[in-house]
Amino acid sequence: MTAFATPAAFLAALRGLPQPDAAARSAAVARQAELTKPPGSLGRLEDIAVFMAGWQGNPLPRLDRGSAVVFAGNHGIVAHGVSAFPASVTAQMVANFEAGGAAINALSRAAGLDLKIVSLDLDRPTADFTQAPAMSEDECLAAINAGAAAVVDAPNLIVLGEMGIGNTTSAAALCLASFGGSARDWVGPGTGVDSDGIARKIAVVEAGFALHRDSLTTPFEILRRLGGRELAAIAGAVVAARLAGVPVMLDGYICCAAVAPLAAACPDIVAHCLAGHVSAEPGHAALLARIELDPLLSMGMRLGEASGAATATLLVRAALAAHAEMATFAEAGVSAA
C-alpha cells in the first residue's frame, strides 16, 4: 500500500511518474489494425482499449476486477448557506450507500464494480475556510493517505467519486486557486441552490481565496486550505493509483476538481485517468478543458457519488470486449485490402 509520510513525500511523488507500457500499447494498436473493421471505425472504443492496454501492460487488457470508491466528508463552509441541504445529509446518504439503496449501488452492480464507501470524520467537519485553513497539515495528509489506502489489490480499474454537502463550493475554490479566473467562472448551482445561493457561494469562494492567496504555493497547500477530506482523499487515490499502474475513471466536477491542484502543477498526473462524463455543473466543462481530458459521456448528470464514472465503465467493458473478441482479418478469412 502506498503511504505518504509527509506533505513533501506526497509532492515528490508527482516527479518521475510511471508511464504506460509502450510495447503493450503498440501491440494493442497493431491488433486494432488487424480486426475486421475499417481503421478507426470504432472511434473512442479503440482509444479506450489502447489506453487500458498501456496501463495494464497487456495487449489484451481485462476488466475482471474493477473497484468503485466513494469518499465522504463534511465541510465547515456549509454554515454560510452554500447548499440546498444541511450537512447531516452527508451521513444520511452514506447510510443509504451502505444499505444498498443509492444510485451508485445500482450503477456499480450494473457495471460489475465492487463498491467501497470511505467515511472521513463526518462528525468533525473541516474548518470554515473563510476564517482558517480547512485542514491542518496532519488532517490533510491523513485524508490523502486514506485515499491512497483505497487503491489495494491492484484492480484493473478504479472508479472514484465523492459525497459531501457543500463540496461544490470547495471544488470551485480549488479550481480558482489552480487555474485562475474569477469565482463566478467556477461556481454553479450544485445541489440546486437559487441565484441567492449562488451569490453566497461566490462570496465564500472569494473570501477563502483572498484569505489564503499568498499561501497557495503547492498542490498540498491548496488542498488543505480550500479543500475537504474527501477531496484530499481523491487526490491521494489518483497519485497512489498512478504509482501502482492502475487506470482511474474520474467522476464529475468535484472529483475532477480534487485533481486540479495536482494537474496545474504536473499536467501528466491525469495521463492514467479517463473522465467518465461532463456534468451539468457549469464549471466542469471548463475544468476538463484545462486538464485536457475528453469526457466519455455527456448526459446532463450532476449527482456525484461516482454515478457518471460508473456508467462510463460500461463503455470500457464494450471497448475491451470488441478489442479481445473480434476476429482478425486472417482469422475470418476476409481481405483487408
Side-chain angles (χ1 to χ4, degrees), residues 29 31-47 326 329:
V29 169
R31 177 171 174 79
Q32 283 288 330
E34 297 169 356
L35 299 179
T36 47
K37 59 179 176 59
S41 59
L42 284 180
R44 292 196 67 189
L45 293 183
E46 299 181 16
D47 298 336
M326 286 181 67
F329 285 107

Side-chain angles (χ1 to χ4, degrees), residues 140-208:
C140 188
L141 190 63
I144 286 169
N145 280 320
V151 183
V152 295
D153 300 328
N156 304 133
L157 177 72
I158 187 166
V159 173
L160 298 177
E162 46 60 44
M163 176 64 212
I165 295 301
N167 64 10
T168 56
T169 302
S170 291
L174 293 179
C175 290
L176 176 62
S178 300
F179 294 117
S182 69
R184 190 175 298 275
D185 295 332
W186 300 109
V187 168
T191 51
V193 297
D194 59 14
S195 58
D196 289 342
I198 290 176
R200 289 192 295 272
K201 292 175 73 170
I202 290 171
V204 167
V205 171
E206 288 175 341

Side-chain angles (χ1 to χ4, degrees), residues 36-208:
T36 47
K37 59 179 176 59
S41 59
L42 284 180
R44 292 196 67 189
L45 293 183
E46 299 181 16
D47 298 336
I48 292 168
V50 172
F51 168 89
M52 293 291 287
W55 288 108
Q56 288 189 14
N58 182 359
L60 290 174
R62 304 172 61 181
L63 184 44
D64 50 7
R65 288 182 297 106
S67 298
V69 184
V70 178
F71 299 100
N74 270 323
H75 294 255
I77 52 169
V78 171
H80 292 281
V82 297
S83 175
F85 298 95
S88 59
V89 170
T90 301
Q92 292 168 9
M93 282 304 302
V94 166
N96 192 29
F97 298 154
E98 292 172 343
I104 188 54
N105 298 98
L107 293 171
S108 293
R109 287 190 292 268
L113 298 168
D114 294 330
L115 176 61
K116 181 177 182 180
I117 311 301
V118 180
S119 296
L120 299 162
D121 295 326
L122 297 186
D123 58 344
R124 195 164 56 92
T126 56
D128 174 357
F129 66 55
T130 69
Q131 303 297 318
M135 294 170 281
S136 69
E137 286 193 4
D138 287 347
E139 288 170 336
C140 188
L141 190 63
I144 286 169
N145 280 320
V151 183
V152 295
D153 300 328
N156 304 133
L157 177 72
I158 187 166
V159 173
L160 298 177
E162 46 60 44
M163 176 64 212
I165 295 301
N167 64 10
T168 56
T169 302
S170 291
L174 293 179
C175 290
L176 176 62
S178 300
F179 294 117
S182 69
R184 190 175 298 275
D185 295 332
W186 300 109
V187 168
T191 51
V193 297
D194 59 14
S195 58
D196 289 342
I198 290 176
R200 289 192 295 272
K201 292 175 73 170
I202 290 171
V204 167
V205 171
E206 288 175 341

